[in-house]
Amino acid sequence: MTAPRKIIIDTDPGQDDAAAIMLAFGSPAELELLGITTVAGNVPLTLTSRNARIICELCDRRDVRVFAGADKPVARKLVTAEHVHGKTGLDGPTLDEPVMPLQTQHAVDFIIDTLRSEAAGTVTLCTLGPLTNVALAFQKAPDIIPRVAELVMMGGGFFEGGNITPAAEFNIYVDPEAAEVIFGSGVPIVMMPLDVTHRLLASKDRLRRMAAIGTAPAKAMVEMLEFFERFDVEKYGSDGGPLHDPTVVAYLLKPELFQGRHCNVEIETKSELTVGMTVVDWWHVTSRKRNATVMRFVDADGFFDLLIERFARI
Ligand code: BDR
Ligand code: CA
């Protein structure tokens, strides 16, 4: 048996971030979670840092270390998404306030120290929110960039357009300058855009199967997703809202669920109309360097089977 893959989850929970963290908790044979780093995004940093610890405690994982990171984007004012996630970012179930402490080290320094102390090419970065923390780490310590095994992110959209503006997906829109740093860094990137996540609808039937697990974490997750969906169901008129962030962890567990293409991606940072857009050269019409594997297709039933199977192990 191969050793579990070492990962850091960088996140702004967020109900769908919570689902991604739970998917990692349910997969200890494949994934060794070195730490969770939090960033401002869906809600401000104090709340994302609180929410990450709530998820750990809900799943009886007080051993996981949670590090707070950047409280604002690299060069802009923070934009949040309470209209989607609710006031706390985890609206839906009644959840206890966390008692486990935050680590005293800053998330950016934890990322740097971990990449320097672990063997080169063994740590995978999983980003579920704006890319601020990782961009700051890359700028502060460029020596860590070639040590990253892979950076798997939820972010961007191309054929599907955007979800916060017609052109931009939320995570990239919040901190386009950070995204520009990452896509220009040379780190191997796997990108899970809206093109994939909009195929992953948490339908009533899928939520019923999740609820049937019967455990406290599964029950809370169903209540979170029911809350999270109400906005998207109204927006897209579909049976269930898209589930974004667990795609990152699902890719590490079962890459064969996804199909995409290695191509060039550039980030728009200047245009007022399209700021935060991920400009994907899907058809290779430029000679720009291919810097990311952009996923476009997903086996939705396989994805939900995996999610439900792993949630049942928590
Ligand atoms: C992304 O934005 C956030 O609202 C979600 O948590 C996800 O990471 C989807 O655009
Ligand atoms: Ca997120």
Side-chain angles (χ1 to χ4, degrees):
M1 217 177 96
T2 48
R5 188 164 171 171
K6 295 178 187 206
I7 63 168
I8 295 174
I9 295 184
D10 187 74
T11 177
D12 62 337
Q15 293 89 345
D16 62 323
D17 300 72
I21 294 168
M22 276 178 52
L23 182 56
F25 286 165
S27 311
E30 293 98 336
L31 302 175
E32 180 186 348
L33 182 56
L34 301 177
I36 295 178
T37 52
T38 60
V39 67
N42 286 323
V43 285
L45 182 72
T46 39
L47 283 172
T48 59
S49 305
R50 163 195 181 262
N51 294 348
R53 288 175 293 146
I54 287 179
I55 304 307
C56 292
E57 293 190 14
L58 176 68
C59 301
D60 218 1
R61 289 298 308 270
R62 288 181 183 76
D63 59 300
V64 174
R65 294 181 300 162
V66 179
F67 301 82
D71 62 359
K72 58 175 187 316
V74 170
R76 292 171 192 264
K77 269 210 185 124
L78 177 64
V79 175
T80 52
E82 285 87 356
H83 60 294
V84 182
H85 300 270
K87 221 163 49 193
T88 66
L90 278 191
D91 278 18
T94 308
L95 296 161
D96 293 334
E97 284 303 313
V99 294
M100 62 186 271
L102 271 175
Q103 300 295 310
T104 50
Q105 191 179 29
H106 193 280
V108 170
D109 294 320
F110 169 71
I111 292 170
I112 294 171
D113 285 358
T114 306
L115 281 160
R116 281 180 177 161
S117 60
E118 297 288 343
T122 61
V123 177
T124 297
L125 299 176
C126 302
T127 65
L128 314 178
L131 290 154
T132 321
N133 285 337
V134 180
L136 291 172
F138 283 8
Q139 282 176 329
K140 191 170 173 185
D143 58 288
I144 64 173
I145 298 171
R147 302 181 68 85
V148 177
E150 204 171 28
L151 187 153
V152 188
M153 70 165 73
M154 190 282 133
F158 192 57
F159 294 95
E160 279 288 305
N163 61 355
I164 184 81
T165 74
E169 179 280 328
F170 180 78
N171 290 340
I172 307 293
Y173 178 79
V174 172
D175 201 342
E177 282 75 18
E180 194 178 37
V181 169
I182 303 302
F183 280 90
S185 69
V187 80
I189 296 172
V190 177
M191 174 173 146
M192 294 292 173
L194 297 176
D195 304 275
V196 165
T197 66
H198 280 185
R199 308 272 93 75
L200 299 172
L201 302 180
S203 64
K204 287 199 183 64
D205 183 52
R206 287 168 174 158
L207 288 183
R208 223 174 286 125
R209 285 173 56 208
M210 210 178 278
I213 296 171
T215 59
K219 188 169 165 286
M221 180 48 60
V222 169
E223 289 176 24
M224 280 186 226
L225 293 180
E226 280 170 348
F227 178 89
F228 177 55
E229 300 211 303
R230 89 229 172 280
F231 172 79
D232 282 331
V233 168
E234 216 170 278
K235 182 169 160 193
Y236 302 109
S238 48
D239 173 20
L243 202 45
H244 307 283
D245 291 338
T247 52
V248 168
V249 181
Y251 170 76
L252 300 182
L253 300 170
K254 274 199 161 190
E256 65 274 16
L257 291 174
F258 302 91
Q259 272 181 288
R261 195 178 273 193
H262 196 230
C263 47
N264 172 266
V265 180
E266 302 292 333
I267 309 296
E268 176 58 61
T269 58
K270 303 276 182 315
S271 153
E272 222 173 279
L273 187 63
T274 59
V275 66
M277 184 176 180
T278 44
V279 180
V280 176
D281 187 4
W282 183 263
W283 303 112
H284 304 316
V285 294
T286 71
S287 54
R288 292 196 286 256
K289 197 166 172 262
R290 299 178 190 190
N291 56 355
T293 300
V294 179
M295 296 303 180
R296 186 172 172 194
F297 306 105
V298 59
D299 168 1
D301 287 334
F303 170 85
F304 278 97
D305 287 348
L306 176 70
L307 209 65
I308 291 163
E309 175 199 293
R310 299 304 165 100
F311 285 179
R313 295 184 187 174
I314 299 171

PDB file of all heavy atoms in Angstrom, residues 21 25 33-36 52-53 56 60-67 100-101 103:
ATOM      1  N   ILE A  21     -13.681  19.413   3.169  1.00  0.00           N
ATOM      2  CA  ILE A  21     -12.895  19.028   4.352  1.00  0.00           C
ATOM      3  C   ILE A  21     -13.386  17.667   4.865  1.00  0.00           C
ATOM      4  O   ILE A  21     -12.597  16.786   5.203  1.00  0.00           O
ATOM      5  CB  ILE A  21     -12.996  20.122   5.443  1.00  0.00           C
ATOM      6  CG1 ILE A  21     -12.321  21.417   4.959  1.00  0.00           C
ATOM      7  CG2 ILE A  21     -12.377  19.656   6.761  1.00  0.00           C
ATOM      8  CD1 ILE A  21     -12.601  22.645   5.807  1.00  0.00           C
ATOM      9  N   PHE A  25     -11.502  14.128   5.534  1.00  0.00           N
ATOM     10  CA  PHE A  25     -11.578  13.395   6.811  1.00  0.00           C
ATOM     11  C   PHE A  25     -12.004  11.942   6.597  1.00  0.00           C
ATOM     12  O   PHE A  25     -11.582  11.049   7.326  1.00  0.00           O
ATOM     13  CB  PHE A  25     -12.581  14.064   7.763  1.00  0.00           C
ATOM     14  CG  PHE A  25     -12.098  15.348   8.382  1.00  0.00           C
ATOM     15  CD1 PHE A  25     -12.992  16.217   9.000  1.00  0.00           C
ATOM     16  CD2 PHE A  25     -10.753  15.693   8.382  1.00  0.00           C
ATOM     17  CE1 PHE A  25     -12.560  17.393   9.591  1.00  0.00           C
ATOM     18  CE2 PHE A  25     -10.304  16.877   8.960  1.00  0.00           C
ATOM     19  CZ  PHE A  25     -11.214  17.731   9.577  1.00  0.00           C
ATOM     20  N   LEU A  33      -3.741  14.936   6.146  1.00  0.00           N
ATOM     21  CA  LEU A  33      -3.999  16.383   6.220  1.00  0.00           C
ATOM     22  C   LEU A  33      -3.004  17.026   7.185  1.00  0.00           C
ATOM     23  O   LEU A  33      -3.085  16.840   8.396  1.00  0.00           O
ATOM     24  CB  LEU A  33      -5.454  16.605   6.674  1.00  0.00           C
ATOM     25  CG  LEU A  33      -5.940  18.038   6.778  1.00  0.00           C
ATOM     26  CD1 LEU A  33      -5.767  18.799   5.463  1.00  0.00           C
ATOM     27  CD2 LEU A  33      -7.416  18.060   7.202  1.00  0.00           C
ATOM     28  N   LEU A  34      -2.051  17.793   6.647  1.00  0.00           N
ATOM     29  CA  LEU A  34      -1.002  18.387   7.485  1.00  0.00           C
ATOM     30  C   LEU A  34      -1.528  19.594   8.248  1.00  0.00           C
ATOM     31  O   LEU A  34      -0.999  19.942   9.315  1.00  0.00           O
ATOM     32  CB  LEU A  34       0.190  18.806   6.627  1.00  0.00           C
ATOM     33  CG  LEU A  34       0.865  17.693   5.823  1.00  0.00           C
ATOM     34  CD1 LEU A  34       1.980  18.259   4.957  1.00  0.00           C
ATOM     35  CD2 LEU A  34       1.427  16.615   6.761  1.00  0.00           C
ATOM     36  N   GLY A  35      -2.530  20.248   7.698  1.00  0.00           N
ATOM     37  CA  GLY A  35      -3.106  21.411   8.370  1.00  0.00           C
ATOM     38  C   GLY A  35      -4.145  22.062   7.482  1.00  0.00           C
ATOM     39  O   GLY A  35      -4.189  21.805   6.266  1.00  0.00           O
ATOM     40  N   ILE A  36      -4.987  22.875   8.119  1.00  0.00           N
ATOM     41  CA  ILE A  36      -5.972  23.665   7.381  1.00  0.00           C
ATOM     42  C   ILE A  36      -5.575  25.122   7.540  1.00  0.00           C
ATOM     43  O   ILE A  36      -5.311  25.575   8.667  1.00  0.00           O
ATOM     44  CB  ILE A  36      -7.397  23.437   7.940  1.00  0.00           C
ATOM     45  CG1 ILE A  36      -7.831  21.983   7.717  1.00  0.00           C
ATOM     46  CG2 ILE A  36      -8.387  24.405   7.315  1.00  0.00           C
ATOM     47  CD1 ILE A  36      -9.215  21.648   8.285  1.00  0.00           C
ATOM     48  N   ALA A  52     -13.854  26.636  10.139  1.00  0.00           N
ATOM     49  CA  ALA A  52     -12.962  25.486   9.900  1.00  0.00           C
ATOM     50  C   ALA A  52     -12.871  24.643  11.170  1.00  0.00           C
ATOM     51  O   ALA A  52     -12.881  23.406  11.118  1.00  0.00           O
ATOM     52  CB  ALA A  52     -11.576  25.978   9.480  1.00  0.00           C
ATOM     53  N   ARG A  53     -12.791  25.309  12.319  1.00  0.00           N
ATOM     54  CA  ARG A  53     -12.695  24.560  13.581  1.00  0.00           C
ATOM     55  C   ARG A  53     -14.019  23.885  13.927  1.00  0.00           C
ATOM     56  O   ARG A  53     -14.038  22.776  14.479  1.00  0.00           O
ATOM     57  CB  ARG A  53     -12.232  25.498  14.704  1.00  0.00           C
ATOM     58  CG  ARG A  53     -10.741  25.860  14.544  1.00  0.00           C
ATOM     59  CD  ARG A  53     -10.298  26.878  15.566  1.00  0.00           C
ATOM     60  NE  ARG A  53     -10.933  28.162  15.340  1.00  0.00           N
ATOM     61  CZ  ARG A  53     -11.280  29.016  16.296  1.00  0.00           C
ATOM     62  NH1 ARG A  53     -11.056  28.734  17.552  1.00  0.00           N
ATOM     63  NH2 ARG A  53     -11.846  30.161  15.995  1.00  0.00           N
ATOM     64  N   CYS A  56     -14.004  20.651  12.085  1.00  0.00           N
ATOM     65  CA  CYS A  56     -13.116  19.672  12.737  1.00  0.00           C
ATOM     66  C   CYS A  56     -13.813  19.059  13.947  1.00  0.00           C
ATOM     67  O   CYS A  56     -13.808  17.833  14.128  1.00  0.00           O
ATOM     68  CB  CYS A  56     -11.820  20.347  13.194  1.00  0.00           C
ATOM     69  SG  CYS A  56     -10.780  20.892  11.840  1.00  0.00           S
ATOM     70  N   ASP A  60     -15.156  15.253  15.025  1.00  0.00           N
ATOM     71  CA  ASP A  60     -14.304  14.700  16.082  1.00  0.00           C
ATOM     72  C   ASP A  60     -12.830  14.687  15.676  1.00  0.00           C
ATOM     73  O   ASP A  60     -12.118  13.718  15.941  1.00  0.00           O
ATOM     74  CB  ASP A  60     -14.774  13.258  16.386  1.00  0.00           C
ATOM     75  CG  ASP A  60     -14.693  12.983  17.877  1.00  0.00           C
ATOM     76  OD1 ASP A  60     -14.299  13.897  18.610  1.00  0.00           O
ATOM     77  OD2 ASP A  60     -15.004  11.843  18.280  1.00  0.00           O
ATOM     78  N   ARG A  61     -12.378  15.761  15.035  1.00  0.00           N
ATOM     79  CA  ARG A  61     -10.991  15.845  14.581  1.00  0.00           C
ATOM     80  C   ARG A  61     -10.308  17.079  15.198  1.00  0.00           C
ATOM     81  O   ARG A  61      -9.778  17.923  14.488  1.00  0.00           O
ATOM     82  CB  ARG A  61     -10.943  15.896  13.048  1.00  0.00           C
ATOM     83  CG  ARG A  61     -11.307  14.584  12.379  1.00  0.00           C
ATOM     84  CD  ARG A  61     -10.347  13.446  12.729  1.00  0.00           C
ATOM     85  NE  ARG A  61      -8.969  13.779  12.506  1.00  0.00           N
ATOM     86  CZ  ARG A  61      -8.325  13.563  11.350  1.00  0.00           C
ATOM     87  NH1 ARG A  61      -8.938  13.009  10.331  1.00  0.00           N
ATOM     88  NH2 ARG A  61      -7.049  13.883  11.229  1.00  0.00           N
ATOM     89  N   ARG A  62     -10.316  17.104  16.543  1.00  0.00           N
ATOM     90  CA  ARG A  62      -9.671  18.233  17.233  1.00  0.00           C
ATOM     91  C   ARG A  62      -8.151  18.201  17.092  1.00  0.00           C
ATOM     92  O   ARG A  62      -7.467  19.142  17.454  1.00  0.00           O
ATOM     93  CB  ARG A  62     -10.048  18.230  18.717  1.00  0.00           C
ATOM     94  CG  ARG A  62     -11.481  18.645  18.959  1.00  0.00           C
ATOM     95  CD  ARG A  62     -11.819  18.659  20.442  1.00  0.00           C
ATOM     96  NE  ARG A  62     -13.225  18.987  20.644  1.00  0.00           N
ATOM     97  CZ  ARG A  62     -14.229  18.143  20.441  1.00  0.00           C
ATOM     98  NH1 ARG A  62     -13.973  16.894  20.068  1.00  0.00           N
ATOM     99  NH2 ARG A  62     -15.467  18.514  20.613  1.00  0.00           N
ATOM    100  N   ASP A  63      -7.636  17.088  16.580  1.00  0.00           N
ATOM    101  CA  ASP A  63      -6.180  16.971  16.373  1.00  0.00           C
ATOM    102  C   ASP A  63      -5.686  17.779  15.176  1.00  0.00           C
ATOM    103  O   ASP A  63      -4.491  18.042  15.050  1.00  0.00           O
ATOM    104  CB  ASP A  63      -5.821  15.492  16.143  1.00  0.00           C
ATOM    105  CG  ASP A  63      -6.553  14.926  14.922  1.00  0.00           C
ATOM    106  OD1 ASP A  63      -7.810  14.927  14.935  1.00  0.00           O
ATOM    107  OD2 ASP A  63      -5.888  14.524  13.955  1.00  0.00           O
ATOM    108  N   VAL A  64      -6.595  18.178  14.299  1.00  0.00           N
ATOM    109  CA  VAL A  64      -6.176  18.896  13.083  1.00  0.00           C
ATOM    110  C   VAL A  64      -5.801  20.334  13.439  1.00  0.00           C
ATOM    111  O   VAL A  64      -6.515  21.003  14.182  1.00  0.00           O
ATOM    112  CB  VAL A  64      -7.317  18.882  12.035  1.00  0.00           C
ATOM    113  CG1 VAL A  64      -6.964  19.743  10.828  1.00  0.00           C
ATOM    114  CG2 VAL A  64      -7.609  17.456  11.590  1.00  0.00           C
ATOM    115  N   ARG A  65      -4.680  20.784  12.907  1.00  0.00           N
ATOM    116  CA  ARG A  65      -4.239  22.143  13.217  1.00  0.00           C
ATOM    117  C   ARG A  65      -4.831  23.145  12.212  1.00  0.00           C
ATOM    118  O   ARG A  65      -4.775  22.900  11.000  1.00  0.00           O
ATOM    119  CB  ARG A  65      -2.716  22.209  13.207  1.00  0.00           C
ATOM    120  CG  ARG A  65      -2.105  21.373  14.336  1.00  0.00           C
ATOM    121  CD  ARG A  65      -0.607  21.458  14.341  1.00  0.00           C
ATOM    122  NE  ARG A  65      -0.023  20.976  13.097  1.00  0.00           N
ATOM    123  CZ  ARG A  65       1.213  21.252  12.696  1.00  0.00           C
ATOM    124  NH1 ARG A  65       1.991  22.020  13.419  1.00  0.00           N
ATOM    125  NH2 ARG A  65       1.681  20.760  11.567  1.00  0.00           N
ATOM    126  N   VAL A  66      -5.384  24.232  12.747  1.00  0.00           N
ATOM    127  CA  VAL A  66      -6.002  25.260  11.889  1.00  0.00           C
ATOM    128  C   VAL A  66      -5.233  26.569  12.062  1.00  0.00           C
ATOM    129  O   VAL A  66      -5.049  27.049  13.183  1.00  0.00           O
ATOM    130  CB  VAL A  66      -7.492  25.459  12.245  1.00  0.00           C
ATOM    131  CG1 VAL A  66      -8.113  26.536  11.355  1.00  0.00           C
ATOM    132  CG2 VAL A  66      -8.267  24.145  12.121  1.00  0.00           C
ATOM    133  N   PHE A  67      -4.778  27.128  10.947  1.00  0.00           N
ATOM    134  CA  PHE A  67      -3.959  28.343  10.944  1.00  0.00           C
ATOM    135  C   PHE A  67      -4.716  29.457  10.227  1.00  0.00           C
ATOM    136  O   PHE A  67      -5.131  29.266   9.082  1.00  0.00           O
ATOM    137  CB  PHE A  67      -2.651  28.091  10.190  1.00  0.00           C
ATOM    138  CG  PHE A  67      -1.806  26.990  10.768  1.00  0.00           C
ATOM    139  CD1 PHE A  67      -2.090  25.654  10.464  1.00  0.00           C
ATOM    140  CD2 PHE A  67      -0.743  27.269  11.609  1.00  0.00           C
ATOM    141  CE1 PHE A  67      -1.313  24.622  10.982  1.00  0.00           C
ATOM    142  CE2 PHE A  67       0.040  26.244  12.137  1.00  0.00           C
ATOM    143  CZ  PHE A  67      -0.246  24.919  11.829  1.00  0.00           C
ATOM    144  N   MET A 100     -11.673  24.245  20.270  1.00  0.00           N
ATOM    145  CA  MET A 100     -10.250  24.025  19.940  1.00  0.00           C
ATOM    146  C   MET A 100      -9.623  25.349  19.515  1.00  0.00           C
ATOM    147  O   MET A 100     -10.271  26.167  18.854  1.00  0.00           O
ATOM    148  CB  MET A 100     -10.084  22.948  18.859  1.00  0.00           C
ATOM    149  CG  MET A 100     -10.713  23.275  17.525  1.00  0.00           C
ATOM    150  SD  MET A 100     -10.625  21.892  16.365  1.00  0.00           S
ATOM    151  CE  MET A 100      -9.051  22.192  15.576  1.00  0.00           C
ATOM    152  N   PRO A 101      -8.354  25.572  19.904  1.00  0.00           N
ATOM    153  CA  PRO A 101      -7.745  26.869  19.586  1.00  0.00           C
ATOM    154  C   PRO A 101      -7.243  26.936  18.147  1.00  0.00           C
ATOM    155  O   PRO A 101      -6.977  25.908  17.526  1.00  0.00           O
ATOM    156  CB  PRO A 101      -6.555  26.929  20.558  1.00  0.00           C
ATOM    157  CG  PRO A 101      -6.192  25.492  20.763  1.00  0.00           C
ATOM    158  CD  PRO A 101      -7.453  24.685  20.647  1.00  0.00           C
ATOM    159  N   GLN A 103      -4.078  27.849  15.794  1.00  0.00           N
ATOM    160  CA  GLN A 103      -2.626  27.848  15.989  1.00  0.00           C
ATOM    161  C   GLN A 103      -2.136  29.297  16.014  1.00  0.00           C
ATOM    162  O   GLN A 103      -2.760  30.179  15.431  1.00  0.00           O
ATOM    163  CB  GLN A 103      -1.949  27.092  14.836  1.00  0.00           C
ATOM    164  CG  GLN A 103      -2.389  25.649  14.723  1.00  0.00           C
ATOM    165  CD  GLN A 103      -1.976  24.817  15.921  1.00  0.00           C
ATOM    166  OE1 GLN A 103      -0.822  24.836  16.317  1.00  0.00           O
ATOM    167  NE2 GLN A 103      -2.920  24.097  16.510  1.00  0.00           N
TER     168      GLN A 103
END
